[in-house]
Amino acid sequence: MNKQELLKLYDEDLMTLVEKVEKLPFSRNVEVCSIISARTGKCGENCKYCSQSIHNHAEIICHPLMEVEEVREAALRARDNGASRFCIVTSGRAEQGEDFKKILEMIRAVSKIDGIHCCASLGLLSEEQIKQIKEAGVERFNHNINTSKNYHKEICTTHKFEDRINTVKLLKKYGIEACTGVILGMGETREDRVDMVLSLAELNPETVPINILNPIKGTALEGYEDKITEEEVLKTICIFRLVMPDTILRYAGGRSTRLSKKAQKLGFRAGINGMLSGDYLTTKGVDFDEDYDLLQSCKK
């Protein structure tokens, strides 16, 4: 489908779109992952949504790079709670020097754990750094496009949309799976959302995290609660699934604060087949037990 055809889908009834999705042969097995903020805060990028940016004024608890054993123990807990993937996340453009060497140690430690796959989200890495994390054991790397090429300048000016695209291409060049998603509800238009999915389709990532903006006090987007509705989120999920039938579409940040339980359940019918469980980077997430109950209720 072309851009205009995709835009017209937004005018259809939500359940009509859901029924179209349900006819697709995508996997209904839900992949569960967990993350840890191995270094929090003091990021020099000026992304308007982010509580960790020094350009915003959110009240968060910052901490330096965690110890390797702390990260390994968190990965073990995630596995025991049902996660199959564990992602090491750091704030900032990219770690350097001794801190980067320490991150490589974290990756080696997590990748040795049976029953868990090691993922990472470490910013705008160089080609040499990407080769090193691959050798250390990273299987999948999260690097979101966040929004459309056209709207990117309204969200961030310290790096370009193309910087994100090129990073994803480098990851795939070295055999690292791409986890590349978006944030909905930042004031973008329907056309922007369609542009997002078309950009993602070109990149062909293994998984697409779908975040819904959680407007955090102290960020430039703190008053953006009304920029997207539940129905609009669900329609967007349907459109993403129709364009990318083989990709894992993952519930990520904002799910528990922006969607009711009823809407979350409908999201699985709309095309969601992955979820981030546990806490997020600087905000509270959903407990593993609660997510287990949610998944069980979807089977009834």
Side-chain angles (χ1 to χ4, degrees), residues 204-223:
N204 192 28
E206 279 69 24
T207 179
V208 171
I210 297 178
N211 298 275
I212 310 156
L213 179 70
N214 180 6
I216 298 173
K217 185 178 180 181
T219 66
L221 304 185
E222 66 174 272

Side-chain angles (χ1 to χ4, degrees), residues 183-188 193 211-213 224 227-228 258:
I183 306 172
L184 305 178
M186 297 195 294
E188 76 283 348
R193 293 176 201 136
N211 298 275
I212 310 156
L213 179 70
Y224 275 45
K227 298 300 181 182
I228 197 164
R258 302 303 304 276

